[in-house]
Amino acid sequence: MWSIAKKEIRQFLGSLTGLVAIVVFLLLNGLFLFVFPDSSILDYGYASLDKFFQLAPWILLFLVPAVTMRSWADEFKAGTFEILATRPLTATQLVVGKFLGAYTIVVIALLPTILYAFSVEALAVDQGIDWGATIGSYIGLFLLAAVFTAIGTWCSSLNSNSVIAFLLSAFMCFILYTGFDALSQLPALEGSADYLLQKIGIDFHYKSISRGVIDSRDIIYFGSLLAFFLLITNRKIALNQAV
């Protein structure tokens, strides 16, 4: 399983596309947070990374599909899945190995952003950064990235075209992140099912953790989504192995 994960990491970081994706992710975050006037935290008035945690999920909507789109699609396209299936590994081990490899790459892209917190703390004049809320927000961001990665690997397992896998993954992540919240804003649902729809969406639970309070219900929600998409990916790969 770990050999599969290391293979994924080597393939992604060993390619120009992989390095460009990580650099673009960090560059966009840096520009939005420190350069562009409408979103610059330097003009925010107080030491906070709220702007970053509002922006990061939207950039992850494109980074994670770029990382995961080739996970299974390239194996099917190149005909190497048959070789992979002959290894003494179960479908579960293959799926978890692929997931861990892709998720490690996403974590590598996220880790340098921790420097933003220390930069804001150093620039603060009076009151420093709220470390409780910041740590909670990072926990939420890493959980969100894990769910997006699981969705991306599942989308990649559905066909042999990596471009389609990218588009499908970005669409699914977008719908699960903000689609239910958008539906809850419909006037017809106001006062009835609007709050329930909000709780189904990822955005609701991500914002809840970002307040700095780790609620077990939010952890269970993210864990359930992660397990669900890994399970259906496992079913798909198991069927392919059987064939």
Side-chain angles (χ1 to χ4, degrees):
M1 186 172 68
W2 286 111
S3 65
I4 298 295
K6 288 188 287 186
K7 173 176 169 287
E8 288 293 298
I9 296 169
R10 282 197 304 267
Q11 281 187 339
F12 191 85
L13 296 181
S15 67
L16 182 62
T17 305
L19 295 175
V20 167
I22 293 176
V23 169
V24 168
F25 171 75
L26 295 173
L27 182 62
L28 283 176
N29 276 311
L31 289 174
F32 275 107
L33 292 178
F34 297 103
V35 179
F36 296 158
D38 292 336
S39 58
S40 175
I41 57 178
L42 299 178
D43 301 327
Y44 205 36
Y46 57 94
S48 172
L49 279 178
D50 288 350
K51 291 285 187 180
F52 167 67
F53 292 114
Q54 292 169 11
L55 173 69
W58 296 100
I59 301 180
L60 283 177
L61 282 173
F62 297 96
L63 173 69
V64 175
V67 171
T68 61
M69 66 181 186
R70 298 173 59 184
S71 292
W72 294 107
D74 276 12
E75 302 282 2
F76 298 145
K77 186 176 181 179
T80 54
F81 176 78
E82 288 74 13
I83 300 174
L84 195 64
T86 60
R87 301 186 67 172
L89 296 170
T90 64
T92 301
Q93 290 172 320
L94 290 174
V95 169
V96 174
K98 289 278 189 179
F99 167 79
L100 289 176
Y103 185 56
T104 301
I105 295 165
V106 177
V107 169
I108 289 171
L110 287 174
L111 284 178
T113 66
I114 296 175
L115 293 174
Y116 298 155
F118 293 101
S119 300
V120 173
E121 176 72 16
L123 292 170
V125 178
D126 299 320
Q127 187 176 1
I129 196 170
D130 184 349
W131 284 105
T134 301
I135 292 172
S137 297
Y138 265 109
I139 291 173
L141 192 60
F142 282 109
L143 289 172
L144 177 69
V147 171
F148 280 0
T149 304
I151 294 171
T153 53
W154 171 65
C155 292
S156 182
S157 72
L158 297 179
N159 62 84
S160 60
N161 190 313
S162 58
V163 176
I164 293 176
F166 173 86
L167 295 174
L168 182 59
S169 177
F171 176 75
M172 287 293 297
C173 290
F174 173 78
I175 290 297
L176 287 173
Y177 180 69
T178 191
F180 291 100
D181 184 64
L183 280 175
S184 70
Q185 307 301 320
L186 294 175
L189 298 174
E190 187 175 353
S192 56
D194 55 343
Y195 184 66
L196 178 61
L197 280 172
Q198 286 180 5
K199 290 181 70 174
I200 296 174
I202 296 175
D203 185 42
F204 177 89
H205 297 275
Y206 173 69
K207 288 178 179 177
S208 176
I209 293 182
S210 296
R211 298 187 186 101
V213 179
I214 309 300
D215 193 322
S216 59
R217 290 172 294 184
D218 298 323
I219 302 297
I220 291 171
Y221 173 83
F222 280 109
S224 300
L225 267 185
L226 177 62
F228 172 74
F229 280 102
L230 289 178
L231 178 62
I232 59 177
T233 306
N234 181 70
R235 293 290 299 274
K236 179 67 171 63
I237 298 305
L239 286 174
N240 285 4
Q241 277 185 315
V243 174

